[in-house]
Amino acid sequence: MSFLGVLPEGWAESRLGDIADIRSGPSGAAVRPHDRSADGVGMIMPKDVRDGRVQTGAVGRIRADVAATLMPYTVVMDDILVTRTGTVGRLAWIPATCDGWLFSTGLMRVRPNQVVSRYLAHYLALPEAQEWVRRRARGTAVPSISTAVLAGLPVTLPPLHHQREIAAALALLDEQVEVHDALSRLAGRTRDRLAGMLMRGESPGRLVLPG
């Protein structure tokens, strides 16, 4: 019996620490206010990790010379970031657009080495895996989980070709979710703009609604 129940023939179970390298973000205040630069290197914070991806629009940036001192805390495509403090367990799969960015205190970088990355990202987002993480968080005011504890998370491993098929199927749904999210945000902005105009007695003219 595995973490997720009885496994099909040819499937296995491993510990996260056995199939991925896990590293915590830099300790302490590694970045000071005067280190920031509008055209610098992206620094991903826990607040930027939501819905399985990095919300790049609000990511802060730091000067290149400061970033060079934090090279062990960079991400590359196919890494996974997991929040380790506060709301523990939120995660984001790293796309090519974030390659070379940094990750901050409050995050852990999971770098898969024996598993399909996008499969693992979706696995870590399963309710069962999220509950496993939450139950092992320590602290009351600010819950946290260590790399050593996260390394013990049981991971169900289909054969690699099944991992790729699962990842591809879920990636298509991810794209649809992202499109619908974008449309929802656009509809919200349109609603707010229209409400303001109507309640000031202004005519919106010909309004094109998103969709």
Side-chain angles (χ1 to χ4, degrees):
M1 181 70 69
S2 76
F3 179 58
L4 295 182
V6 178
L7 297 180
E9 185 177 352
W11 292 39
E13 185 174 83
S14 184
R15 294 169 64 255
L16 182 60
D18 293 332
I19 59 171
D21 175 71
I22 307 173
R23 175 186 283 269
S24 288
S27 60
V31 178
R32 297 156 297 184
H34 63 271
D35 294 331
R36 302 189 181 281
S37 171
D39 58 353
V41 178
M43 168 66 87
I44 304 168
M45 309 285 284
K47 67 177 179 60
D48 305 315
V49 172
R50 296 197 311 277
D51 302 326
R53 57 187 182 270
V54 178
Q55 307 294 326
T56 56
V59 169
R61 293 179 176 270
I62 63 171
R63 300 194 328 257
D65 59 315
V66 177
T69 68
L70 297 170
M71 288 301 291
Y73 307 104
T74 57
V75 294
V76 297
M77 181 179 174
D78 283 339
D79 282 347
I80 301 164
L81 290 179
V82 180
T83 55
R84 68 177 184 87
T85 60
T87 307
V88 297
R90 290 201 325 271
L91 62 102
W93 178 79
I94 300 299
T97 51
C98 297
D99 202 289
W101 286 12
L102 298 159
F103 65 101
S104 72
T105 303
L107 291 170
M108 290 183 282
R109 183 190 66 201
V110 177
R111 181 165 288 172
N113 54 44
Q114 299 179 44
V115 62
V116 175
S117 174
R118 295 203 78 167
Y119 167 82
L120 182 59
H122 283 289
Y123 180 91
L124 295 176
L126 286 175
E128 295 89 344
Q130 290 285 302
E131 180 64 17
W132 188 97
V133 170
R134 282 193 293 269
R135 284 181 177 275
R136 285 156 180 80
R138 295 292 178 264
T140 51
V142 183
S144 66
I145 189 167
S146 68
T147 57
V149 171
L150 186 65
L153 172 66
V155 179
T156 298
L157 295 174
L160 282 174
H161 68 280
H162 280 304
Q163 292 181 32
R164 295 188 187 100
E165 290 170 355
I166 292 168
L170 295 176
L172 290 175
L173 291 174
D174 281 342
E175 292 172 7
Q176 292 183 28
V177 168
E178 195 163 353
V179 169
H180 285 296
D181 285 349
L183 286 173
S184 177
R185 290 192 296 271
L186 177 58
R189 291 194 297 269
T190 302
R191 176 205 58 207
D192 293 343
R193 186 167 64 251
L194 178 61
M197 294 175 68
L198 293 174
M199 293 176 189
R200 288 191 298 269
E202 300 173 4
S203 172
R206 184 173 180 271
L207 184 66
V208 178
L209 296 175

